[in-house]
Amino acid sequence: MTSLAGMSPTGSEKAVAEHNNIAGGDPINAAEQGLVATDQYGRALVEIDAKAESRLRRKINLHVLPPMAFMYLFCFIDRANIGNAKLAGLEKDLELHGHDYNAVLSIFYISYILFEIPSTVACKLIGPGWFLPAITVLFGVCSVCTGFVDNIHAASGVRFLLGIFEAGMMPGIAYYLSRWYRGRELAFYLSIYVVTAPLAGAFGGLLASAILTLDHFGTLHTWRMIFAIEGLITIGLGLLSFIILTDRPETARWLSQTEKDLAITRLKSERVGTTEVLDQLDKPKMLRGILSPVTLCTAVIFLLNNITVSGLAFFAPTIVKSIYPDTTVVAQQLHTVPHHVPTHPLRRDLFHLQRHIHLWCALQRPPIGTNVMFGNIGGLISTWSFLPSDAPDYHIGNGLNLATSAMTFLLAAAMWMWMRWDNHRREAVDVERVLEGFSQSEVQDLDWLNPGFKWRT
């Protein structure tokens, strides 16, 4: 590793380098001490050995990604398994009529939306290493409790609590991963979570069909077994995560001290004028992040995308039943799986665009909460997209899904083009003149308003 990035420093860069005292010294220690890691143009003042970073990234992937993936998987399953339960008799046993099922679905999203940003704040205050396992256990408990409800009122109450505890999962995961990954890496992994979410529906269908082959689970039968067994799996996963999840690089027992320092430095080295990896609430930064044009646009995109994803998760079993009315319940559950496969290539095509539009939001924690909150307004809309009166062809629901998918693609493409245009505009700005007289903390607080900031496209 070298003490300076491979470039010829300007006068201002030399001044920053002298401030960091990294010329001929250890850049890792300089970054660890909370000093500047980039100049005002956003260029790194330290150069990190690519091979060492690659080894570190592989180790992080091994220890961080698996628990996140499983928690997100069962978060989605515990949310959507009500669709599988409806197919197995929930609607009849709870005496749901007309739009009662749609109403029960909506209750979940009301609490989910209301508690999205408060949950994001709580995650920052408590720490994701503790917060994420805790809410996993709690929404697992809610899933188990759903197996014991006897009427619409009890079902609505449990679904309301489920929304509260699941609200912090997606922004919490984004926040947690931002403690470990660079911006481009973070955008990559978050986009994978987004585009593969429908596959959780396929897994849920397979799991539900397997559960329904059992005669009973304790005193529970049919659809009640789905909630109880899947909820217990979720609780076990949450309890295990308390043990295996590491809150941050500084506390990772599986990293050496050199690796811990490298993990921190590589994050600082791509933040414009950043002297620290922020983990505390910062109101000005939060407002700038929320009002970022990219945050607002991706919030709308997530809203549109969630109408399709959530709608299919909740209503695919119902649609399948109308197509195969004479088959067994287990066979109908299995028929809910294949429809997720042909939609995946389209989502993979959208993957690269979604990587770019998620990048800024990946770097800012409160905007992630805003994004997910708006996205779940789309989930709320989806609960009323497939109505009994529109059966069996569901022209309204299918037409809505087609329209939202098309708009998602167009908005993502427009955002990508705007980011490229804005980067080109910023290249003509005299950054030193604009930032003249600004203190280091003031430069750091500018975030995307810093003229040296560039969108990564």
Side-chain angles (χ1 to χ4, degrees):
M1 301 178 66
T2 60
S3 56
L4 288 173
M7 59 183 180
S8 177
T10 64
S12 61
E13 290 162 359
K14 288 179 179 178
V16 176
E18 291 171 0
H19 169 67
N20 279 353
N21 193 29
I22 60 177
D26 186 353
I28 298 294
N29 289 336
E32 177 68 16
Q33 292 167 8
L35 302 178
V36 179
T38 66
D39 63 14
Q40 67 268 41
Y41 296 95
R43 295 178 297 201
L45 294 175
V46 294
E47 183 176 315
I48 297 174
D49 181 81
K51 292 183 179 179
E53 185 177 21
S54 180
R55 289 193 297 270
L56 172 65
R57 187 166 49 246
R58 286 195 297 270
K59 184 176 282 192
I60 293 174
N61 289 348
L62 179 64
H63 288 83
V64 170
L65 293 182
M68 292 296 102
F70 279 105
M71 281 193 286
Y72 184 73
L73 173 66
F74 277 90
C75 176
F76 196 88
I77 287 176
D78 288 350
R79 177 189 318 175
N81 57 10
I82 190 171
N84 302 105
K86 179 175 182 284
L87 191 60
L90 174 143
E91 195 170 34
K92 179 181 177 181
D93 291 348
L94 297 187
E95 299 182 353
L96 304 182
H97 306 287
H99 297 153
D100 286 348
Y101 176 70
N102 303 81
V104 172
L105 295 182
S106 298
I107 289 293
F108 166 84
Y109 280 106
I110 290 174
S111 59
Y112 201 120
I113 293 168
L114 290 176
F115 284 87
E116 194 69 58
I117 292 180
S119 293
T120 305
V121 174
C123 181
K124 295 193 68 174
L125 294 176
I126 297 172
W130 295 98
F131 180 81
L132 293 176
I135 62 172
T136 300
V137 170
L138 290 172
F139 64 68
V141 170
C142 288
S143 182
V144 172
C145 290
T146 309
F148 294 89
V149 300
D150 292 316
N151 54 60
I152 185 175
H153 307 294
S156 297
V158 173
R159 292 289 294 183
F160 187 86
L161 291 175
L162 182 69
I164 293 176
F165 298 134
E166 286 201 0
M169 179 54 68
M170 185 60 184
I173 288 176
Y175 176 36
Y176 182 69
L177 295 182
S178 72
R179 291 183 165 188
W180 299 91
Y181 292 104
R182 289 179 180 266
R184 286 187 180 274
E185 299 163 354
L186 183 55
F188 174 81
Y189 293 121
L190 287 180
S191 297
I192 287 179
Y193 282 122
V194 172
V195 301
T196 59
L199 296 183
F203 183 78
L206 289 172
L207 186 56
S209 64
I211 292 172
L212 290 174
T213 61
L214 302 175
D215 291 330
H216 62 89
F217 181 70
T219 61
L220 302 178
H221 301 269
T222 62
W223 59 269
R224 298 181 185 276
M225 297 190 299
I226 297 176
F227 290 113
I229 293 175
E230 292 180 354
L232 287 174
I233 295 174
T234 303
I235 292 171
L237 176 63
L239 294 175
L240 181 62
S241 297
F242 273 117
I243 301 172
I244 65 176
L245 208 60
T246 302
D247 190 61
R248 61 180 69 232
E250 295 93 320
T251 61
R253 288 175 294 182
W254 40 270
L255 290 178
S256 67
Q257 187 58 50
T258 299
E259 290 172 328
K260 292 178 182 178
D261 295 339
L262 176 58
I264 298 169
T265 297
R266 75 192 203 101
L267 298 184
K268 292 182 181 179
S269 66
E270 63 177 9
R271 312 284 175 89
V272 179
T274 294
T275 60
E276 58 184 344
V277 179
L278 294 175
D279 279 321
Q280 303 300 318
L281 292 176
D282 189 316
K283 185 175 180 180
K285 282 183 176 292
M286 180 176 69
L287 292 177
R288 288 193 186 98
I290 291 174
L291 298 177
S292 161
V294 173
T295 300
L296 297 176
C297 186
T298 51
V300 175
I301 290 173
F302 196 21
L303 185 155
L304 295 172
N305 181 69
N306 221 21
I307 291 176
T308 300
V309 173
S310 298
L312 289 178
F314 291 133
F315 294 101
T318 302
I319 297 171
V320 165
K321 184 177 181 179
S322 69
I323 299 174
Y324 304 99
D326 300 324
T327 59
T328 65
V329 173
V330 172
Q332 290 170 348
Q333 297 283 3
L334 290 173
H335 279 303
T336 66
V337 176
H339 84 274
H340 292 284
V341 178
T343 64
H344 191 63
L346 174 60
R347 295 184 179 279
R348 185 181 58 200
D349 292 338
L350 293 173
F351 171 76
H352 297 292
L353 284 174
Q354 290 188 341
R355 279 186 64 187
H356 298 308
I357 63 178
H358 275 79
L359 176 57
W360 172 250
C361 297
L363 294 176
Q364 297 292 330
R365 287 76 165 190
I368 276 289
T370 304
N371 250 251
V372 179
M373 182 185 72
F374 273 88
N376 285 292
I377 293 176
L380 180 59
I381 294 172
S382 76
T383 63
W384 296 94
S385 58
F386 291 86
L387 300 175
S389 59
D390 198 30
D393 294 327
Y394 297 102
H395 296 294
I396 296 175
N398 291 323
L400 181 63
N401 285 345
L402 177 61
T404 55
S405 295
M407 282 301 299
T408 296
F409 183 85
L410 292 175
L411 283 175
M415 173 56 65
W416 178 72
M417 289 187 289
W418 178 85
M419 291 166 69
R420 290 178 62 88
W421 170 84
D422 193 51
N423 281 346
H424 181 71
R425 178 188 63 82
R426 290 169 183 261
E427 289 174 357
V429 176
D430 186 340
V431 178
E432 290 189 7
R433 182 182 64 81
V434 174
L435 297 181
E436 185 177 357
F438 279 66
S439 68
Q440 179 59 44
S441 62
E442 290 172 332
V443 172
Q444 180 172 308
D445 287 341
L446 287 174
D447 279 337
W448 65 275
L449 294 177
N450 190 315
F453 174 85
K454 295 290 177 61
W455 308 101
R456 287 183 170 84
T457 61

